[in-house]
Amino acid sequence: MAGLGQPIRIDLEAGKKAYFASDHHFGAPNEQASLKREKLFVEWLNEIKPNCGVLFLVGDLFDFWFEYKYVVPKGFVRVLGKLAEFHDEGIPVYFFFGNHDLWMKDYLTQEVGIIQIHDKQTFLINNKKFFVTHGDGKGPGDYGYKRMKKVFTNRFCQFLFSWLHPDIGMWLGITASRKNKIISGDEDIHYLGEDQEWLIQYSKKQLAETSYDFLVYGHRHLPMVIDLDNAKHINLGDWIDYFTYGVFDGKEFRLYRYLTKECIDFRHLIEERKK
């Protein structure tokens, strides 16, 4: 399992691009609605595959995930099969643990072939330096979730949970995940301003310690591209309300809406949310 250390170097072939997406929350709000979004996501994967050099899934692919020794959550066959296809055709898939799927172990690596990143990682993509993490628990706020995460990541608590029958454990996890806004981290979908956005403050702290070209996050759900000196702070949005994704073509990073195929103007999006 990879972690923050030396940057992982990725040299895109001519005509290839790096794609980023996060916060799909498959399984929510129910199986029927999730299935529609899963099919749309697979459609997107099919469209990008011919020119995809690397795919980054920046957390919360699933709304709840827990791996028992011999049992994994039911469903998501289309998505997992398509990601395995990417791996089999030589397209690296990096998967960042989110706060909804932080109880993953090695199933997706063994069966699908993805590369798991537990927390954060730096990359050199065509000599552009990226800092990538899901974003949960980062920055100066989010104290309710930070306290809860200590429980979630405690090995003894995970051990106790694993002794629940999977039908009971999955029901408890799914119910809590769908209803608890502290877990979801999406209490406020409105842009709060640069000084009040915790992840922007976190980006500024990272930039004070070292230089990056792009700092990429999930978790916040609100798509945004913010200029910070010589870097860009990027939140990828989600596949619940916005259906957004990021594209790095080797030089520039842009956010797009899949349903409309349009490049997102962040400020215009903020004005839309105010109406």
Side-chain angles (χ1 to χ4, degrees):
M1 186 179 296
L4 186 65
Q6 291 298 315
I8 296 173
R9 186 178 185 90
I10 299 173
D11 295 313
L12 297 172
E13 297 178 8
K16 297 292 186 178
K17 301 175 182 179
Y19 287 86
F20 298 74
S22 72
D23 293 274
H24 303 77
H25 292 266
F26 291 137
N30 54 59
E31 287 72 17
Q32 294 75 22
S34 176
L35 182 58
K36 293 180 181 179
R37 297 189 296 106
E38 290 170 41
K39 290 180 177 179
L40 195 65
F41 181 59
V42 169
E43 179 183 295
W44 176 71
L45 290 174
N46 281 326
E47 288 188 15
I48 70 169
K49 189 172 69 168
N51 66 358
C52 182
V54 59
L55 174 63
F56 295 88
L57 300 175
V58 191
D60 287 355
L61 181 64
F62 307 108
D63 200 58
F64 178 75
W65 185 277
F66 186 88
E67 290 179 30
Y68 292 83
K69 186 174 182 179
Y70 298 110
V71 178
V72 295
K74 178 179 177 181
F76 319 117
V77 174
R78 293 170 180 81
V79 172
L80 295 178
K82 184 56 61 176
L83 294 177
E85 185 179 306
F86 269 52
H87 168 73
D88 292 347
E89 295 188 17
I91 304 171
V93 179
Y94 288 90
F95 184 95
F96 287 76
F97 286 26
N99 48 302
H100 282 250
D101 37 35
L102 55 78
W103 278 346
M104 284 189 170
K105 295 181 181 177
D106 58 2
Y107 176 77
L108 290 187
T109 296
Q110 291 184 355
E111 297 296 325
V112 181
I114 68 169
I115 304 163
Q116 293 181 324
I117 308 289
H118 187 267
D119 185 13
K120 51 193 176 184
Q121 179 62 49
T122 57
F123 297 85
L124 275 178
I125 308 178
N126 285 27
N127 291 319
K128 295 289 187 179
K129 194 171 183 182
F130 284 72
F131 175 91
V132 186
T133 186
H134 180 60
D136 59 305
K138 308 299 186 195
D142 219 0
Y143 298 117
Y145 170 70
K146 287 176 180 177
R147 289 190 293 268
M148 193 171 290
K149 187 173 182 178
K150 290 181 179 179
V151 177
F152 289 165
T153 56
N154 182 277
R155 290 185 179 275
F156 183 66
C157 291
Q158 292 179 21
F159 171 76
L160 292 177
F161 190 90
S162 71
W163 277 92
L164 293 173
H165 186 282
D167 286 349
I168 298 173
M170 291 301 300
W171 177 82
L172 286 173
I174 290 170
T175 300
S177 185
R178 291 177 181 177
K179 293 183 178 181
N180 195 320
K181 295 301 181 181
I182 294 178
I183 298 175
S184 298
D186 59 354
E187 291 180 288
D188 193 337
I189 61 173
H190 301 289
Y191 180 60
L192 304 177
E194 188 172 311
D195 293 337
Q196 298 298 319
E197 290 283 349
W198 300 333
L199 288 179
I200 294 178
Q201 296 304 308
Y202 183 72
S203 284
K204 290 180 178 180
K205 181 179 179 181
Q206 303 311 304
L207 291 169
E209 298 173 357
T210 188
S211 61
Y212 295 101
D213 295 291
F214 305 100
L215 299 99
V216 183
Y217 303 88
H219 188 57
R220 181 66 174 84
H221 287 223
L222 182 66
M224 62 178 74
V225 179
I226 304 291
D227 290 318
L228 298 177
D229 295 325
N230 295 319
K232 288 187 182 295
H233 167 97
I234 298 158
N235 191 282
L236 296 168
D238 65 24
W239 278 69
I240 300 172
D241 296 313
Y242 297 104
F243 298 91
T244 45
Y245 62 95
V247 182
F248 177 65
D249 62 6
K251 295 181 180 180
E252 301 292 335
F253 191 109
R254 295 182 176 89
L255 283 182
Y256 291 87
R257 269 178 167 165
Y258 179 56
L259 296 177
T260 61
K261 306 296 192 295
E262 65 177 342
C263 184
I264 287 181
D265 182 314
F266 169 63
R267 298 298 173 182
H268 181 262
L269 182 66
I270 296 303
E271 292 303 317
E272 282 185 12
R273 299 299 301 183
K274 290 179 179 178
K275 296 179 180 178

